[in-house]
Amino acid sequence: MTKLSAAILLATLSTSAAFAQTNAGDQKAETDLPFTMTRVASLDLPWRIAFLPDGRMLVTEKVGRLQLVTPQGAKTEVQGVPASQFEGQNGMLGVFLSPHYASDHDVYLTYVAPGDYGGGLAMGRGKLVLDGNQARLDVFEVLWRQMPTGKGGQAGAQIAFSPDGKYLFLTVGDRQRFTPAQDPDQPVGKILRLTLDGKPAPGNPWAGKEGARSIPLIDPAADTEAAKTAPVVSTYTFPGKNLTPAETWSTGHRTPYGLAFGPDGRLWELEHGPRGGDELNLIERGKNYGWPLVSYGKNYNGVAIPSPDTRPDLVKPTIYWVPVIAPGNIMFYKGNLFPTWKGSALISNLIGLGITRVTFDGKGGATATQRWNIGKRVRDIEEAPDGSLWLVEDAMSGGLYRLTPK
């Protein structure tokens, strides 16, 4: 860890606990949009956008495809993409350029890979080859795989690369199984810190520690209480070492769909709550974020969950939403087309049908500053090289839109 990284980490640890939690669920949406939206293309359940240096973009479709899309909307399906399990919340999910893309042309994909019983989150990497109107991923290799495979959605599947370009952080959702998010021997409900090759990163909180050789698999349960006594479907024995503890950076996450580093080097995570309790969390090394022990929401069937206020030993969210916005992702704006937004985070909203802007005080505090309703379920919003914003709509024929200032 560099001296700068260590200083940021110490500052984060010393200040984050001082901030009160803010409920932004009742924030009113502004009706006067500060941008013009232009529909450029249609895609089938688009999930994530990754911009190439020349302004073209890679867009995943949850149905199992990766598309190369020009700024004018021309689409080319990328070949060499692995098979994924398209069911419910599962499918082809994330696409991310290597921090060294200019020299290695590596592209990372996250997806739910099919298995003998349900599916499991997988992360792999291939080299993007662009040949005229053709595009393909060469020598695609799976770098990390969640085992055992099983039922449930909420895969997580977001990657954030460390500012120094040496490591990656991978979110793994709880797969709707609740209790394993608190089991240190299982990767579900965790944020992992890995090398670019998918191995446990040095300096992790439990570096060098191995987990149990065998772990139980349960199906998604009706609620947090039912999960405590859910029957074991099967027991999985790792063929080698269980490296989960050595991979883990933080625990107790439900549906971590958003993950991004801010300009000051702090790592922010965004996740869905159940009925209420969506969260924006400042991620700290080795901390426990409480799911399913606590939540500002309740189970979908009304069964209560203890409030985070009852557990001072667990990390509370910086911002939470009751009622929910159902966040899709979080990104930090760096461009010049929207100069007053530089350094702000933009959050895509599914149930909120739009975009939320969050500002930061540089000390670990955050405020939901603005919210815009555009009447569409926004799955992802990203910044193009020219500073324009692009979003994808969560729909079977979902739009790809370009946003420019009015």
Side-chain angles (χ1 to χ4, degrees):
M1 182 178 289
T2 65
K3 291 182 179 179
L4 176 60
S5 299
I8 290 172
L9 178 62
L10 288 174
T12 299
L13 293 175
S14 63
T15 61
S16 62
F19 293 94
Q21 285 61 54
T22 302
N23 179 13
D26 291 325
Q27 182 181 22
K28 301 300 182 183
E30 299 183 16
T31 56
D32 185 17
L33 301 181
F35 45 77
T36 298
M37 292 178 53
T38 304
R39 186 173 180 130
V40 175
S42 296
L43 300 119
D44 296 333
L45 290 173
W47 188 277
R48 283 288 179 269
I49 304 169
F51 275 95
L52 300 177
D54 64 5
R56 289 182 291 179
M57 63 204 87
L58 297 170
V59 185
T60 51
E61 293 176 301
K62 195 169 64 171
V63 296
R65 293 187 293 264
L66 177 66
Q67 300 282 2
L68 175 67
V69 187
T70 70
Q72 295 74 37
K75 297 182 295 185
T76 300
E77 185 174 352
V78 180
Q79 303 302 308
V81 172
S84 56
Q85 181 204 33
F86 172 48
E87 180 183 9
Q89 300 175 23
N90 301 330
M92 182 58 61
L93 303 177
V95 56
F96 312 91
L97 297 193
S98 159
H100 312 293
Y101 178 82
S103 57
D104 61 26
H105 301 291
D106 283 343
V107 172
Y108 289 76
L109 296 178
T110 56
Y111 56 100
V112 176
D116 294 333
Y117 185 78
L121 178 64
M123 176 188 71
R125 179 180 64 192
K127 292 190 179 298
L128 182 64
V129 178
L130 302 174
D131 184 9
N133 294 327
Q134 304 299 313
R136 68 180 187 274
L137 288 181
D138 272 358
V139 294
F140 187 87
E141 177 186 10
V142 176
L143 302 176
W144 184 91
R145 189 187 297 272
Q146 173 204 337
M147 292 299 290
T149 59
K151 296 181 179 180
Q154 299 179 184
Q158 185 71 6
I159 289 176
F161 294 98
S162 59
D164 61 9
K166 294 182 178 179
Y167 306 107
L168 66 83
F169 292 76
L170 172 67
T171 67
V172 186
D174 79 335
R175 304 300 309 279
Q176 299 170 296
R177 301 173 199 158
F178 303 101
T179 52
Q182 291 293 328
D183 184 349
D185 297 324
Q186 301 193 46
V188 293
K190 314 293 190 299
I191 295 178
L192 311 181
R193 179 172 172 267
L194 308 171
T195 67
L196 299 185
D197 296 326
K199 307 300 182 185
N204 281 352
W206 299 278
K209 184 176 180 181
E210 297 177 21
R213 280 292 304 278
S214 297
I215 57 175
L217 174 67
I218 62 173
D219 283 341
D223 54 57
T224 52
E225 292 301 313
K228 295 176 182 178
T229 56
V232 174
V233 175
S234 62
T235 299
Y236 176 76
T237 300
F238 289 84
K241 298 177 180 178
N242 178 358
L243 299 177
T244 298
E247 297 169 338
T248 299
W249 186 257
S250 63
T251 64
H253 300 286
R254 182 178 182 270
T255 315
Y257 281 156
L259 193 70
F261 280 93
D264 61 2
R266 288 181 170 88
L267 181 61
W268 294 89
E269 177 260 359
L270 195 65
E271 65 182 73
H272 289 209
R275 280 177 55 187
D278 291 346
E279 297 181 359
L280 176 67
N281 290 301
L282 176 59
I283 298 301
E284 302 173 355
R285 180 182 186 273
K287 292 300 181 71
N288 188 332
Y289 290 80
W291 181 255
L293 304 175
V294 295
S295 174
Y296 283 117
K298 61 180 68 174
N299 286 286
Y300 291 116
N301 60 6
V303 172
I305 304 172
S307 166
D309 299 333
T310 66
R311 291 290 301 268
D313 56 316
L314 304 174
V315 181
K316 296 179 182 179
T318 304
I319 300 173
Y320 66 96
W321 285 267
V322 178
V324 299
I325 58 172
N329 83 309
I330 179 172
M331 55 81 68
F332 285 85
Y333 186 72
K334 303 174 184 177
N336 296 316
L337 282 186
F338 299 90
T340 60
W341 296 357
K342 187 173 290 190
S344 297
L346 298 176
I347 293 172
S348 59
N349 302 179
L350 295 163
I351 290 177
L353 300 178
I355 305 165
T356 297
R357 184 168 78 95
V358 175
T359 56
F360 300 82
D361 63 7
K363 301 177 183 179
T367 302
T369 305
Q370 291 175 288
R371 181 171 168 179
W372 300 284
N373 186 321
I374 64 170
K376 303 179 189 305
R377 289 171 53 88
V378 183
R379 173 62 68 180
D380 188 23
I381 181 168
E382 301 291 348
E383 180 183 341
D386 66 359
S388 61
L389 291 165
W390 293 69
L391 63 81
V392 286
E393 174 191 10
D394 181 55
M396 183 52 75
S397 181
L400 170 67
Y401 293 85
R402 184 173 189 256
L403 277 57
T404 51
K406 281 187 174 177

